[in-house]
Amino acid sequence: MADVILFHHVQGLTDGVRAFAENLRAAGHTVHTPDLFTGEKPGSVEEGVAFVQEIGDETLARRADDAVAGLPEGLVYAGFSYGGATAQRLAQTRPGARGALLYESCVPITGDWAFGPWPDGVPVQIHGMEQDPIFALEGDLDAARQLVATIGTQLGEVFVYPGDRHLFTDSSLPSYDEDATALVLQRSREFLARLP
């Protein structure tokens, strides 16, 4: 069984994020869900982005680092959108990552935004909608495909779902897509079950 830390998106630690984590727990995994927004739940993606800017990236990065500080190595880092970038940073920079699950987010592994090279032998699975204006049309999907092309399909997988919604796996938001989320959860559980 895997030890997973799951980072929420810019609308906070919603009931939908908690439900997703609960679904992974039901498969026997330990799932930590830190609240980097200390209870705040912005009402929209736009409000969430403004809230992130208000808090500041440094403060949020420190909160994420603090959340993992007491946890063992060998974590699977997971996250949704903004939280996916946090998970990716930690998977790439904190020693001992066991895997990464990136939902609706992928940061390039080269260039100005990169956290550095992908760590050797760390598997990753990336999920998003094919016409999501943020994931698909702002470069994350291209970055995901580049990552998998770099590390190989034995370690990396990209799954693209029909639709144009962002945060489609959050059952507490209007953007929720039940059928696509069921597939995301199934594939995530299969990924976790395969980890050495």
Side-chain angles (χ1 to χ4, degrees):
M1 295 294 102
D3 205 349
V4 181
I5 185 160
L6 179 66
F7 292 99
H8 61 74
H9 48 70
V10 294
Q11 290 189 247
L13 184 56
T14 61
D15 290 342
V17 171
R18 292 178 191 275
F20 193 99
E22 207 48 56
N23 198 297
L24 296 180
R25 288 186 190 110
H29 306 291
T30 300
V31 184
H32 310 272
T33 53
D35 185 353
L36 303 188
F37 288 3
T38 60
E40 292 294 324
K41 294 185 184 72
S44 68
V45 170
E46 295 75 20
E47 289 174 28
V49 170
F51 188 66
V52 165
Q53 291 169 344
E54 182 183 319
I55 298 171
D57 287 332
E58 281 186 28
T59 297
L60 288 167
R62 189 170 60 251
R63 289 179 186 178
D65 292 344
D66 289 347
V68 300
L71 299 176
E73 290 187 1
L75 289 171
V76 175
Y77 296 94
F80 302 97
S81 190
Y82 181 83
T86 301
Q88 184 175 343
R89 174 180 66 81
L90 290 165
Q92 288 187 239
T93 61
R94 189 173 187 251
R98 194 171 170 203
L101 285 164
L102 307 179
Y103 304 111
E104 305 172 87
S105 174
C106 187
V107 176
I109 55 170
T110 59
D112 293 343
W113 297 95
F115 302 119
W118 191 259
D120 290 342
V122 175
V124 60
Q125 198 178 73
I126 306 156
H127 302 263
M129 282 197 164
E130 63 186 358
Q131 293 299 319
D132 173 349
I134 297 172
F135 173 75
L137 306 182
E138 289 187 358
D140 292 63
L141 179 54
D142 292 336
R145 289 176 171 151
Q146 178 204 13
L147 172 55
V148 171
T150 302
I151 66 175
T153 54
Q154 296 285 35
L155 284 176
E157 297 174 291
V158 180
F159 292 106
V160 181
Y161 304 84
D164 61 0
R165 299 179 190 178
H166 194 61
L167 307 183
F168 71 92
T169 57
D170 189 321
S171 59
S172 65
L173 298 179
S175 52
Y176 179 56
D177 184 313
E178 183 176 5
D179 292 341
T181 299
L183 260 180
V184 171
L185 282 163
Q186 176 190 325
R187 289 164 170 165
S188 298
R189 290 192 300 261
E190 290 168 355
F191 174 87
L192 294 172
R194 288 196 302 268
L195 293 176

